[in-house]
Amino acid sequence: MNKNNFIHALINNYQYESNQEIINKNQIEFELNEKTIEEIKYEKELNWVKNVTQRASISILAPASHIEPERNLKQPFSLEEMNQKILKARELACRPSEIERMSLQQLLDEKTFTKQLLIDWNEKFQQMHNFAPTNRDKEPIREIYVYYRKVRYTFQIEKEKLTNKENLQEYLNANGSAKLKEQKIKLQKKLLQYESSFCRENGRSVSTPQDRLPVTTLYDQYLILKYKFHAVEQYLGY
């Protein structure tokens, strides 16, 4: 097989459609957690192509839909801007600067905000360039992805501590479950009263951590009771 035929064969074997569909939020959310099967498959294929071409001492074009040339595309917002957004949101909600000092509710708020910030970045990038960002395009904001995973991991650990069976022994009976449910309902009523009052005074529903500041302790307590109650129900098989 001559050089041109060899190149042609490789391109045909690994040719993909160049037009990409718009990424929906579910795809982006999955991407925040781990690599997709398609990404793993592509990396293996690309490594195979590189190895073959190196042995043949020739160069070929990468498949059209996966090509990652050297490029300096405009970013929706920079790493510094994203860090400033996170810092501002944290200050407005009176959350500690250290993750380790955050309550469960504060960790959830920090995780939610950071995740939405990454989703917004991905969507705006696609609107600007008419294609989804590659891993290479997202490299300038890698730090935010790392931070998001750290917050998510810390939140999960704290949640698991609360719902560990050993820490729920006093509730693992019918009376204990009823007691938790009663406490949860009482807190829920107080929070509903606050939310109704807030809506009357501001003409909108409670929607941000700043809105919850006057009763932030109640929200923390309610979230803890909610997770505990659900865990107890699962242990008791309800």
Side-chain angles (χ1 to χ4, degrees):
M1 180 182 293
N2 62 37
K3 179 176 176 179
N4 289 335
N5 288 339
F6 177 75
I7 296 173
H8 185 67
L10 281 176
I11 293 176
N12 284 339
N13 285 336
Y14 292 92
Q15 184 68 44
Y16 293 91
E17 293 293 332
S18 59
N19 295 327
Q20 299 183 23
E21 297 180 355
I22 295 178
I23 292 181
N24 56 40
K25 285 192 176 182
N26 289 334
Q27 289 173 308
I28 298 173
E29 289 174 2
F30 180 78
E31 179 187 69
L32 295 178
N33 297 326
E34 57 186 335
K35 288 184 178 180
T36 64
I37 293 175
E38 287 301 318
E39 285 177 321
I40 295 172
K41 180 181 176 183
Y42 162 63
E43 287 178 359
K44 290 181 179 178
E45 291 175 346
L46 186 59
N47 287 334
W48 182 87
V49 172
K50 287 179 178 177
N51 290 336
V52 171
T53 54
Q54 285 172 359
R55 288 197 301 269
S57 297
I58 64 171
S59 62
I60 64 170
L61 291 175
S65 63
H66 290 298
I67 188 167
E68 292 195 12
E70 293 292 338
R71 57 189 180 187
N72 187 22
L73 296 174
K74 185 177 180 181
Q75 304 272 312
F77 20 85
S78 68
L79 174 63
E80 183 179 356
E81 289 172 325
M82 295 180 82
N83 277 321
Q84 286 300 317
K85 287 175 184 286
I86 293 173
L87 180 61
K88 184 178 179 180
R90 191 185 298 147
E91 289 176 345
L92 287 173
C94 296
R95 290 194 291 271
S97 56
E98 298 87 3
I99 295 175
E100 294 74 19
R101 293 175 52 213
M102 293 184 187
S103 68
L104 195 66
Q105 181 64 58
Q106 288 172 333
L107 283 169
L108 180 59
D109 291 338
E110 186 85 353
K111 181 173 79 77
T112 301
F113 179 84
T114 308
K115 182 176 183 178
Q116 188 58 52
L117 185 61
L118 287 167
I119 290 173
D120 291 344
W121 189 96
N122 277 267
E123 290 182 340
K124 283 182 171 60
F125 184 98
Q126 182 149 332
Q127 290 170 4
M128 291 169 62
H129 303 292
N130 294 319
F131 61 84
T134 65
N135 287 338
R136 191 173 203 166
D137 295 325
K138 289 179 281 191
E139 189 63 29
I141 61 165
R142 172 187 288 272
E143 179 182 311
I144 306 299
Y145 276 92
V146 171
Y147 178 70
Y148 166 74
R149 291 187 174 107
K150 182 180 180 182
V151 175
R152 186 190 65 189
Y153 174 77
T154 306
F155 170 76
Q156 193 62 36
I157 292 298
E158 293 303 313
K159 180 181 173 183
E160 288 175 0
K161 286 180 184 177
L162 282 175
T163 57
N164 186 288
K165 192 171 184 178
E166 294 180 1
N167 297 329
L168 294 174
Q169 287 298 326
E170 62 179 300
Y171 302 111
L172 294 181
N173 54 66
N175 289 334
S177 176
K179 183 180 178 180
L180 274 177
K181 186 175 183 179
E182 183 181 354
Q183 292 174 349
K184 185 168 88 63
I185 290 174
K186 284 182 178 179
L187 274 178
Q188 191 174 36
K189 286 181 179 179
K190 289 182 180 179
L191 292 174
L192 286 174
Q193 289 174 355
Y194 169 76
E195 290 173 357
S196 296
S197 175
F198 181 93
C199 189
R200 287 194 301 270
E201 294 176 8
N202 299 278
R204 64 178 179 84
S205 301
V206 173
S207 57
T208 69
Q210 298 92 286
D211 297 339
R212 299 196 297 266
L213 277 178
V215 289
T216 184
T217 302
L218 292 182
Y219 275 102
D220 285 336
Q221 293 173 354
Y222 177 75
L223 187 65
I224 290 171
L225 283 173
K226 175 182 169 183
Y227 285 138
K228 282 185 175 181
F229 178 67
H230 287 169
V232 166
E233 283 198 318
Q234 288 181 341
Y235 286 133
L236 294 177
Y238 289 169

